[in-house]
Amino acid sequence: MTEQTSDTTIVRAGAALKGFRTERGWTLAEVSERTGLPISTLSKIENEKMELTIDKLLRISLALEINVADLFGTPSTQFLPGDGSKRRIISRTGEGKTVQSNSGAYEYQAYDLLNKGMTPIVASITARSMKEFGDFHRHEGEEYVYVLEGELALYTDTYTPAHLKVGDSIYFDSTMGHAYIAVGDQPCRILSVFSTTEEQTIDFVEDRGVLGDMVKKSRENDPG
């Protein structure tokens, strides 16, 4: 389920989560075990009483073995690439699917095109310190960031912060821990394109080692 605003679409995936859960005959306790999320949190998500942040979105999609787009209400059978396919997808203004987090709002573009080699996101960064941002993001592949509005400080665990203004960009190895910090009082918006595959998105998730073991175990117990 989604909610349309004047500027964007906010993810309301509670109904989809409940549908996938009941389709599999799983209880909230079983989903909790597979995702590492408390039962109370899952219940709040299903009843639309809690925003679905990026880490929760990825935990749930991995545990349910579905594409993230399925939680947005897009059938996973659409736009699958084939031999000689010439795919394209147009994202109009306001059509992206937005996931809210403590560090900002991340609007996924071309969300219903599956098995992409790249993932494009337009993000409105609100974190103004590392404390507000939280743990570094870290994932396989490479990433390109272009500043659309305001000023961005890109922190990494390897280099001193890179300060980027409108029109500036940076291309980097995304296995480095990295964080997006807004500088000053003005809004900060960026375009981020990264090459991480669906199988590698587990690296975005907090406590990914524990979650990885849970997902592996669930798949071994459910060979179908």
Side-chain angles (χ1 to χ4, degrees), residues 64-83:
L64 294 176
E65 296 186 333
I66 58 175
N67 191 279
V68 169
D70 293 327
L71 289 173
F72 294 145
T74 303
S76 59
T77 54
Q78 290 189 15
F79 303 112
L80 290 173
D83 292 338

Side-chain angles (χ1 to χ4, degrees), residues 141-190:
E142 300 171 320
E143 184 167 348
Y144 174 78
V145 172
Y146 181 93
V147 179
L148 301 169
E149 182 180 359
E151 182 176 351
L152 176 77
L154 182 73
Y155 282 67
T156 70
D157 61 2
T158 306
Y159 298 98
T160 57
H163 286 257
L164 307 171
K165 297 185 178 181
V166 174
D168 292 342
S169 65
I170 185 169
Y171 191 105
F172 59 94
D173 181 348
S174 48
T175 56
M176 287 191 300
H178 52 282
Y180 316 115
I181 307 299
V183 177
D185 298 327
Q186 299 301 312
C188 177
R189 294 177 67 245
I190 64 172

Side-chain angles (χ1 to χ4, degrees), residues 37 42 76 93 100 118 201:
L37 295 172
L42 293 168
S76 59
T93 300
Q100 297 282 356
M118 300 181 294
T201 55

Side-chain angles (χ1 to χ4, degrees), residues 10 23 29 58 91 93 111 117-118 123 167 176 180 192 206 211:
I10 305 297
E23 182 182 276
L58 293 173
S91 296
T93 300
Y111 68 92
M118 300 181 294
M176 287 191 300
Y180 316 115
S192 170
E206 295 173 0
L211 177 60

Side-chain angles (χ1 to χ4, degrees), residues 5 11 18 21 31 40 42 68 71 79 83 108-109 140 145 158 174 184 187 193 199:
T5 68
V11 176
K18 187 173 183 178
R21 177 175 66 79
V31 178
S40 60
L42 293 168
V68 169
L71 289 173
F79 303 112
D83 292 338
Y108 286 75
Q109 309 298 312
E140 295 297 324
V145 172
T158 306
S174 48
V193 182
E199 288 298 318

Side-chain angles (χ1 to χ4, degrees), residues 9-166:
T9 304
I10 305 297
V11 176
R12 294 287 185 269
L17 167 58
K18 187 173 183 178
F20 284 117
R21 177 175 66 79
T22 55
E23 182 182 276
R24 287 159 174 73
W26 294 352
T27 64
L28 283 173
E30 289 174 307
V31 178
S32 175
E33 181 180 354
R34 292 166 184 260
T35 61
L37 295 172
I39 294 175
S40 60
T41 296
L42 293 168
S43 178
K44 289 177 181 177
I45 292 174
E46 285 194 357
N47 290 286
E48 311 295 352
K49 294 181 179 179
M50 178 178 288
E51 292 287 351
L52 190 60
T53 58
I54 292 175
D55 68 299
K56 293 182 180 69
L57 176 68
L58 293 173
R59 285 176 186 240
I60 291 169
S61 62
L62 285 165
L64 294 176
E65 296 186 333
I66 58 175
N67 191 279
V68 169
D70 293 327
L71 289 173
F72 294 145
T74 303
S76 59
T77 54
Q78 290 189 15
F79 303 112
L80 290 173
D83 292 338
S85 65
K86 297 178 176 63
R87 304 185 300 157
R88 80 169 199 176
I89 186 75
I90 297 174
S91 296
R92 302 293 185 186
T93 300
E95 289 183 346
K97 299 300 182 180
T98 299
V99 175
Q100 297 282 356
S101 77
N102 292 333
S103 60
Y106 296 79
E107 185 178 348
Y108 286 75
Q109 309 298 312
Y111 68 92
D112 49 358
L113 185 66
L114 305 182
N115 300 318
K116 297 186 291 292
M118 300 181 294
T119 299
I121 296 174
V122 175
S124 296
I125 306 301
T126 58
R128 301 191 183 278
S129 67
M130 282 300 300
K131 182 178 181 180
E132 290 183 19
F133 186 88
D135 293 337
F136 279 122
H137 286 180
R138 190 190 311 274
H139 48 96
E140 295 297 324
E142 300 171 320
E143 184 167 348
Y144 174 78
V145 172
Y146 181 93
V147 179
L148 301 169
E149 182 180 359
E151 182 176 351
L152 176 77
L154 182 73
Y155 282 67
T156 70
D157 61 2
T158 306
Y159 298 98
T160 57
H163 286 257
L164 307 171
K165 297 185 178 181
V166 174

